[in-house]
Amino acid sequence: MTPKHTLLSILQSADTVISGETFSKRLGISRVAVWKHIQGLIQQGVPIMAHSKGYQLADDPDCLMPWAFGELSKFIHYFPESSSTMDEAARLAREGCPDFTTAVAQRQIQGRGRMQRVWGSDAGGLYFTVVIRPEIPIVLAGLVNLAAAVDMAAFLRETYGVNACPKWPNDVLVDQKKICGILSQMEVEGDTVRHINIGVGLNVNNNPEVHTPTAISLKTLVGAKVPRREILAGFLARLKNRMRDFDPVAVISQWKEKNATLGRNVRIVTLKETVEGLAVDIDDQGGLVLRLADGSLITVIYGDCFHF
Ligand code: BTN
């Protein structure tokens, strides 16, 4: 542990002001050196308050910096500003980062959505990409994306009491309004997955309703600001648990049990074509089964899905 890390963990475990002298004794360095390390941490954005009697960590439950995540901290890469967390995650994955490494950004300059759309990244939203390295065949990769949406929806329902449901292929809606979008990128080797980068944009304390009436934020739903760190940590814990022993059958049955798509008339738009039909099922790889107007069944494996 570097002196900065030790300093931080002392601050985190204390609920009172700690004097420069206490730090100096515990770290075996001078008070001036303590002061320099404290200034370094403040410059990195750590909210340390300096009192006449010493130092104390300001309580900011919305802080997304790695140190605030406790034992998860070594997996969190924080960016005050990024082109897109997808870019950061792609780089981290290329560099061989461990499973569940997560890039999180306060702001994205070029946030992207599915089907080559722009993903606006207003202040207050939660924007992150997690790199996972599941040992599964390529054919099951689509189910990992469904699983991410199932897990986010379940977490939001259980923690905040909102009626969140996954929408095919991998959005999360609350009462037909979009609260979360998921974009994933995969790299393969032979017929197995090398890594899947799952990018999540969640409307938390931003106001998407202003420019997109079909979207909603958690703050609007619960009537108060919600700490984004709690959401990120809770979602990662859930997904980690899921991936420990990935069960495709469980993903499908959980998705079917609570989703916003089955039983609705939908329009599926791909870059090549548009089809309309009644969403009747999902198959064992997560494809959406539609009944067309002539009664025939078709399965779509990707595309934008509009409910009507
Ligand atoms: C969609 O609904 O089209 C998917 C949106 C995914 C947005 C997230 S925000 C974090 C990550 N970085 C990006 O540029 N996109 C994903």
Side-chain angles (χ1 to χ4, degrees), residues 136-302:
I136 55 168
I138 297 169
V139 288
L140 295 183
L143 289 182
V144 174
N145 300 328
L146 285 196
V150 166
D151 286 347
M152 179 57 89
F155 175 75
L156 296 176
R157 282 198 306 273
E158 289 166 23
T159 314
Y160 305 107
V162 297
N163 183 30
C165 299
K167 172 197 172 207
W168 191 87
N170 40 18
D171 287 345
V172 178
L173 306 186
V174 175
D175 301 331
Q176 294 297 316
K177 291 197 169 176
K178 183 160 170 169
I179 191 165
C180 174
I182 299 178
L183 169 72
S184 71
Q185 280 174 346
M186 171 172 70
E187 204 163 288
V188 300
E189 193 168 297
D191 54 5
T192 56
V193 170
R194 190 184 278 172
H195 60 254
I196 307 178
N197 296 348
I198 301 178
V200 179
L202 182 72
N203 297 320
V204 183
N205 300 318
N206 50 325
N207 298 304
E209 306 89 337
V210 173
H211 44 78
T212 315
T214 51
I216 191 116
S217 72
L218 200 51
K219 182 183 76 172
T220 302
L221 289 164
V222 303
K225 277 192 164 189
V226 181
R228 292 170 297 170
R229 184 171 72 238
E230 162 179 299
I231 304 173
L232 179 51
F235 170 76
L236 289 178
R238 222 174 171 115
L239 191 64
K240 209 167 195 172
N241 205 27
R242 152 106 50 206
M243 297 313 297
R244 211 164 276 141
D245 186 14
F246 188 68
D247 178 354
V249 178
V251 175
I252 291 166
S253 76
Q254 289 163 5
W255 192 92
K256 283 188 189 177
E257 200 179 304
K258 188 108 182 122
N259 73 86
T261 303
L262 295 186
R264 298 191 75 96
N265 285 311
V266 298
R267 181 178 304 119
I268 306 294
V269 181
T270 69
L271 294 175
K272 286 195 201 132
E273 58 175 353
T274 297
V275 281
E276 287 185 5
L278 177 69
V280 291
D281 203 359
I282 51 167
D283 71 6
D284 55 9
Q285 290 174 19
L288 185 66
V289 183
L290 299 186
R291 177 169 297 123
L292 304 186
D294 64 4
S296 62
L297 295 178
I298 61 157
T299 302
V300 287
I301 55 170
Y302 81 104

Side-chain angles (χ1 to χ4, degrees), residues 85-95 129 131 185 195 197:
T85 57
M86 300 310 283
D87 298 336
E88 312 295 354
R91 177 182 49 78
L92 289 162
R94 258 196 324 272
E95 290 167 3
T129 303
V131 179
Q185 280 174 346
H195 60 254
N197 296 348

